[in-house]
Amino acid sequence: MADLSRRRVFTGAVALAGAATIGLNPVAAAQATRQRTGAQHAPSLNFGDFPVVARVRARRALEHLQVLSDKIGPRIAGTEGELRAKDYIARVLRDLRYQVSLQPFKIADKFLGSVRVGKDTWQTGSSPQGLQDATREGVVLDVGDGSNIPADVTGKIVFIGAVTNVADAYLTAAQRGAIAVLLGRIGADPLRRLSAFSPTLPTPVTIPVLGLAQVQTERLRERLAKGTVKVKVSSVQHKNLTSHNVIAERPATFHNPDNKVVMVTAHYDSVPGSPGANDDGSGTVLCLELARVLRHLPTNKAIRFALWGSEEYGLIGSRHYVSQLAEPDIKRISGTFQNDMVATAYDPAHIYWLLSVDGANNATTQAVAAAAKRLGYEPRTKGPVARGSSDHVPFHEKGVPAANFSWRGEGGPALLEPTYHTPEDTIADNISLERLQVSLELIGAAAYDLLRQR
């Protein structure tokens, strides 16, 4: 025990001395050695951990998230929200003196709607088989599950609260004079809140048909319980869309004969109606904060940040990026750390999962597991286990060491927070600064460890 104590003191002294040589404030370096909230033990940091762990700040990342989630809001692929987010992300990375490039790619049309209720405007989906580029205003008529629609609903906006019971209720409403239909989602599972959607209709109609999220359905019902509700609904087909990947790179500090690179990535788009605070604003701002911290640190490999567009429609951005890489460029990548949903405040999602496509260890999962052990977070992590469904998949398919890192429930990596993909994925309702800080420290320490390796 005495030998172990002396070894820890010696290791800590060496690390502190090393931290001083790269300009790290001794006070900040000393603070980095404190035991973290939720950690099993005080950290035993190596030389490279100090300048990362002592500098990363979840609150600084939160400032970016307030822009993306609160100010910009939903960031649907190719639409104004995603384009504004792309410009903001690129500007931040350019200000940090990275070499920034934008990679555009064409994507399919998007069908979105909006419901104006008093001072509130809700983004929804809109049916491709309904009328597009239209605005209608009228009184809402709640017809329950749609099984008993009045014979005459002329001039009304018909609200159907359960689309699964009567599949053709929207068509009956249109035939009986409705000027628009709102299809509200009601979920039976208390652990799964339902998102806004673009309804697929068996028979086209010449009125707007919008798909509401569960929380929008509930809020509309609450307003209707108090009296008459008048709303303005709009449906828009967004055509000729272009999404973008934002790529930012900083060359290696030292000689890098094989041009090796380490990638830290996330997607910045969100689903209709959702401000995407955790999915995946959290991963995006993790990248931005690590870009700030890593920009001046000495490395033997290049560091590349990639923020993907259009992930929510099938990993389109990351697949496009990988498809454009020549074989030598693919072999240059030492590892890709994908960060998707890294800050949820949902209590049961207390496990930080290491998710590789095949469930096997690779350079990224090994680096994060080693960082967790050094930082004392090892009991909070699990994996690697097999899981796709994020932007590490295209890299794995090309043989690049890659994994996704995410907070999820103990029951398995598929257990997500109930507000996943909903309008309730907000900073106020679904972001934990403590978990974001853990994510920053783990990915920062792991990525920098790989960056320092020859």
Side-chain angles (χ1 to χ4, degrees), residues 24-317:
L24 185 61
N25 185 305
V27 175
Q31 290 176 342
T33 64
R34 77 187 192 285
Q35 184 164 339
R36 265 69 181 149
T37 301
Q40 184 183 37
H41 54 72
S44 178
L45 305 181
N46 66 24
F47 173 84
D49 294 330
F50 270 95
V52 176
V53 172
R55 287 186 172 122
V56 291
R57 295 289 182 270
R59 289 200 174 276
R60 294 193 69 143
L62 181 65
E63 293 174 5
H64 297 303
L65 191 55
Q66 287 167 337
V67 174
L68 294 172
S69 183
D70 287 352
K71 186 175 180 180
I72 296 176
R75 304 174 297 280
I76 315 308
T79 67
E80 181 185 0
E82 194 194 55
L83 295 175
R84 289 175 62 195
K86 173 260 298 180
D87 290 341
Y88 176 80
I89 292 164
R91 183 168 65 252
V92 169
L93 292 167
R94 287 191 181 106
D95 287 346
L96 292 172
R97 300 295 186 261
Y98 282 83
Q99 300 168 0
V100 177
S101 61
L102 301 177
Q103 186 181 49
F105 51 94
K106 294 294 184 181
I107 56 173
D109 294 356
K110 300 293 178 288
F111 296 85
L112 301 176
S114 67
V115 179
R116 177 75 174 175
V117 190
K119 295 182 180 180
D120 299 326
T121 300
W122 305 334
Q123 186 185 66
T124 72
S126 175
S127 173
Q129 292 80 36
L131 183 64
Q132 296 301 314
D133 303 315
T135 298
R136 299 289 184 267
E137 189 169 3
V139 172
V140 176
L141 177 64
D142 188 350
V143 297
D145 66 2
S147 59
N148 204 5
I149 298 174
D152 185 5
V153 293
T154 301
K156 297 293 194 298
I157 294 178
V158 171
F159 173 39
I160 302 169
V163 300
T164 55
N165 290 358
V166 182
D168 61 351
Y170 77 93
L171 182 58
T172 301
Q175 292 169 341
R176 295 179 181 180
I179 59 174
V181 172
L182 305 178
L183 298 179
R185 297 188 110 179
I186 300 174
D189 183 355
L191 295 181
R192 180 59 53 228
R193 306 281 286 169
L194 300 180
S195 61
F197 65 112
S198 297
T200 299
L201 307 178
T203 303
V205 291
T206 56
I207 61 173
V209 180
L210 276 54
L212 277 60
Q214 182 169 337
V215 67
Q216 296 164 344
T217 302
E218 294 168 349
R219 289 173 182 171
L220 184 54
R221 282 248 163 93
E222 289 171 1
R223 289 173 183 257
L224 286 165
K226 298 176 182 178
T228 301
V229 175
K230 188 175 183 179
V231 302
K232 179 185 287 187
V233 303
S234 298
S235 59
V236 179
Q237 180 180 1
H238 297 264
K239 304 176 183 178
N240 303 317
L241 297 180
T242 299
S243 185
H244 297 79
N245 295 325
V246 183
I247 313 299
E249 186 160 334
R250 195 217 73 180
T253 309
F254 303 116
H255 184 49
N256 184 16
D258 297 323
N259 294 318
K260 291 293 186 179
V261 61
V262 173
M263 297 188 65
V264 181
T265 66
H267 74 87
Y268 67 95
D269 64 315
S270 70
V271 299
S274 177
N278 189 44
D279 185 19
D280 186 27
S282 62
T284 299
V285 302
L286 176 145
C287 289
L288 296 180
E289 172 63 0
L290 289 183
R292 180 188 70 83
V293 170
L294 294 174
R295 58 182 168 156
H296 295 315
L297 297 185
T299 65
N300 290 306
K301 300 183 180 76
I303 174 70
R304 181 183 302 156
F305 292 94
L307 288 310
W308 312 119
S310 203
E311 185 270 355
E312 297 289 5
Y313 290 87
L315 317 182
I316 296 174

Side-chain angles (χ1 to χ4, degrees), residues 382-445:
K382 283 193 177 182
V385 298
R387 181 76 177 174
S389 303
S390 194
D391 293 301
H392 60 307
V393 174
F395 292 91
H396 169 83
E397 292 171 346
K398 292 293 186 178
V400 175
N404 178 39
F405 302 93
S406 182
W407 290 97
R408 297 163 186 247
E410 177 113 33
L415 183 56
L416 305 172
E417 62 266 29
T419 56
Y420 166 70
H421 275 186
T422 74
E424 297 160 288
D425 184 10
T426 64
I427 293 175
D429 292 335
N430 196 30
I431 291 296
S432 163
L433 283 177
E434 187 266 337
R435 287 179 181 168
L436 179 56
Q437 182 69 28
V438 174
S439 301
L440 281 162
E441 292 179 11
L442 288 174
I443 296 299

